[in-house]
Amino acid sequence: MEKQTIHSLAEYGVIEAVQWLKLGVETIGAFIIGLGILVSGWLFLKALLARRTTDFTAIRLTLARYLALALEFQLGADILSTAIAPSWEQIGKLGAIAVIRTALNFFLSKEMKDERAVTSEKHIDRRAEQGASEK
């Protein structure tokens, strides 16, 4: 029977704490995705019932914001996993997942920025048209 040292007990305690923290962060990320789906679904349903189906950009941006936030939490959980990954194979898998999630978040953020710019441009054009018609 192997005698446990204070060091090994402390290491076990840290690993357990990080695993629980990782689970909590992943749960928060999943909750945010679920909340985003509910909010966006509600907005979509309201738009359908009001027959405002011409432009769903605002709804897409709402969902995109939730997804971007959730991806940040999921990436945080991945980073926590690398702190306790016992093998290079697991570290490699976590690294690949982190790269994929980072790329998804980058392109999602870029799309949100582009959509906001287009939406702002449309809003400015409408205001200019309204101003011209009032004269």
Side-chain angles (χ1 to χ4, degrees), residues 109-126:
S109 296
K110 184 179 180 330
E111 184 178 352
M112 286 188 319
K113 183 179 177 184
D114 292 347
E115 288 288 342
R116 265 189 244 118
V118 168
T119 303
S120 295
E121 210 171 273
K122 286 180 185 177
H123 179 71
I124 290 170
D125 289 345
R126 278 193 296 257

Side-chain angles (χ1 to χ4, degrees), residues 22 26 73-83 94 97-98 101:
K22 175 186 171 275
E26 285 177 334
F73 277 93
Q74 297 298 328
L75 185 57
D78 292 339
I79 291 169
L80 286 170
S81 293
T82 61
L94 289 168
I97 291 168
R101 288 184 178 163

Side-chain angles (χ1 to χ4, degrees), residues 83-114:
I84 58 170
S87 72
W88 283 107
E89 182 181 342
Q90 285 182 311
I91 290 172
K93 287 178 184 177
L94 289 168
I97 291 168
V99 167
I100 291 167
R101 288 184 178 163
T102 301
L104 282 171
N105 205 8
F106 172 79
F107 289 112
L108 191 57
S109 296
K110 184 179 180 330
E111 184 178 352
M112 286 188 319
K113 183 179 177 184
D114 292 347

Side-chain angles (χ1 to χ4, degrees), residues 10-42:
E11 184 177 16
Y12 175 78
V14 168
I15 289 171
E16 284 295 309
V18 170
Q19 286 176 336
W20 279 105
L21 181 59
K22 175 186 171 275
L23 180 62
V25 172
E26 285 177 334
T27 302
I28 292 169
F31 175 76
I32 291 169
I33 291 170
L35 184 61
I37 290 169
L38 289 174
V39 169
S40 299
W42 174 249

Side-chain angles (χ1 to χ4, degrees), residues 35-63:
L35 184 61
I37 290 169
L38 289 174
V39 169
S40 299
W42 174 249
L43 293 173
F44 178 69
L45 186 61
K46 281 178 33 178
L48 281 177
L49 293 175
R51 299 186 192 267
R52 293 179 311 189
T53 58
T54 57
D55 190 5
F56 292 125
T57 303
I59 298 168
R60 286 181 60 237
L61 286 175
T62 298
L63 181 58

